Amino acid sequence: MLHIKQSLLALLLSVTALCCKADCLWIIGDATPYGWATDNATALLSAADSHDYTGTIYLKANQDFKFMTVPDFGNEEYGAAPGASLTDGEIALAKGTDDNGYGKLQVPEDGNYYISVNTETMKARIEKSAYQESEITMCSLFMVGSATVNGWDVMKGTPLYQNAEKPYEFCSGNLALEAGTFKIAIDLKGACSWNSEYWYFRDAADDNKIARAQDGDLQWNIAKKDTYVVTVDVKNNSISILPQTETSISTVGESDCYEAEYYTLGGIKVGDPQNGGIFILKKGPKSQIVIIK
């Protein structure tokens, strides 16, 4: 039986934060599929109560990249701590502005990489993803429109979280949507221009499909105010929009789109923790301390 110890979690996270807390960290650099173009930068996502930002993206070997708190230069950024290098998938970070105070990050081989950045401990894990069938070019998607909580404010789009095991799939549950419409922003800064290249639209021939290269500002329609689960598959160009009550899980949050992973408090991943003890339960972008008896 799992007993969630929120007080213990709060204690572990109570160390004074030295870094800017945000919901997104944008990854940018020669190593990425889009280089230094901030309009095209994709964002690693953090849950509201977490300092962990995660995402999977294709990176080129021996090319530079870094993380930005704002998709514009001249703001707080994160890179390698002085003298630090990627060792066993982990690297110490430092913060600064415009390449001052930190070094660039690099990976040794081309491939899709799962990235986890903790802006409190100032450490990152950057390791090859199990999925290498196709290049992953985006870490997140965002719903924008009158049906969403922040309406047409692009920079406050409702996030769809990337599935670490199927990084072409993006999902969020427990979404309170109004009667109205929405479309899907691919890159937030670029989407602010309303240029169609930065958006997914409803396919003209099939409401259950997403499309980019087509005429018209076609949007999805939410007919009834309700709580929904939305899943987008960019590999198969499909979208699923289901009322929460029609899913097999009664309360689905963004992290419930993912498989449960267990870690020791020292960060070592374990399989099925049958013998009891205190563990970190991670589901997508969210983590919590659990006691298993």
Side-chain angles (χ1 to χ4, degrees):
M1 180 179 181
L2 298 181
H3 300 279
I4 299 173
K5 296 293 185 180
Q6 298 291 358
S7 59
L8 179 55
L9 175 61
L11 177 63
L12 292 177
L13 297 179
S14 65
V15 179
T16 302
L18 300 177
C19 311
C20 175
K21 182 69 171 70
D23 292 327
C24 297
L25 274 183
W26 283 266
I27 181 170
I28 194 165
D30 290 327
T32 71
Y34 42 81
W36 296 100
T38 55
D39 280 358
N40 299 91
T42 191
L44 282 70
L45 292 180
S46 169
D49 56 355
S50 172
H51 293 273
D52 288 310
Y53 298 79
T54 62
T56 299
I57 189 172
Y58 185 86
L59 296 173
K60 290 174 277 189
N62 305 314
Q63 300 290 318
D64 295 338
F65 67 96
K66 61 183 178 180
F67 305 108
M68 310 173 77
T69 57
V70 177
D72 281 304
F73 297 105
N75 297 280
E76 188 169 78
E77 300 169 347
Y78 298 94
S85 60
L86 188 64
T87 304
D88 294 330
E90 186 169 284
I91 189 168
L93 301 176
K95 63 177 179 176
T97 303
D98 290 337
D99 300 342
N100 295 313
Y102 60 87
K104 297 292 187 359
L105 299 158
Q106 294 187 349
V107 294
E109 300 176 355
D110 292 353
N112 294 324
Y113 282 82
Y114 175 76
I115 301 171
S116 177
V117 176
N118 189 301
T119 56
E120 187 172 47
T121 65
M122 296 295 283
K123 290 184 178 181
R125 288 207 62 82
I126 305 171
E127 50 196 355
K128 273 279 195 79
S129 169
Y131 179 83
Q132 297 293 335
E133 294 176 24
S134 60
E135 294 184 12
I136 299 299
T137 61
M138 61 191 78
C139 297
S140 52
L141 295 172
F142 299 86
M143 297 167 58
V144 180
S146 60
T148 67
V149 64
N150 291 313
W152 290 103
D153 188 336
V154 176
M155 292 305 292
K156 294 182 180 178
T158 299
L160 296 173
Y161 293 81
Q162 188 177 39
N163 186 328
E165 280 135 20
K166 301 176 184 177
Y168 50 84
E169 187 175 278
F170 301 82
C171 176
S172 197
N174 203 28
L175 291 177
L177 298 179
E178 301 287 334
T181 64
F182 73 89
K183 53 187 178 179
I184 298 171
I186 299 168
D187 310 300
L188 285 184
K189 184 183 177 185
C192 288
S193 70
W194 301 104
N195 188 316
S196 61
E197 71 175 283
Y198 300 108
W199 295 88
Y200 277 120
F201 300 93
R202 175 175 56 82
D203 189 287
D206 189 341
D207 289 356
N208 298 314
K209 292 287 187 178
I210 60 176
R212 295 179 74 173
Q214 66 173 19
D215 294 329
D217 186 19
L218 300 181
Q219 302 167 20
W220 288 274
N221 180 63
I222 300 298
K224 176 186 176 184
K225 178 180 179 180
D226 206 338
T227 304
Y228 291 85
V229 177
V230 177
T231 304
V232 174
D233 183 330
V234 300
K235 180 181 178 182
N236 298 303
N237 293 323
S238 65
I239 183 170
S240 169
I241 307 168
L242 293 175
Q244 194 80 56
T245 53
E246 292 183 14
T247 69
S248 60
I249 304 173
S250 60
T251 56
V252 180
E254 64 270 12
S255 63
D256 291 302
C257 302
Y258 313 111
E259 296 294 327
E261 297 178 334
Y262 292 92
Y263 296 83
T264 68
L265 296 182
I268 299 173
K269 188 174 182 179
V270 297
D272 187 9
Q274 296 283 350
N275 296 328
I278 302 175
F279 296 90
I280 299 170
L281 169 61
K282 180 171 172 50
K283 297 186 76 177
K286 285 192 173 181
S287 300
Q288 59 188 164
I289 303 296
V290 297
I291 295 178
I292 299 179
K293 294 183 178 180

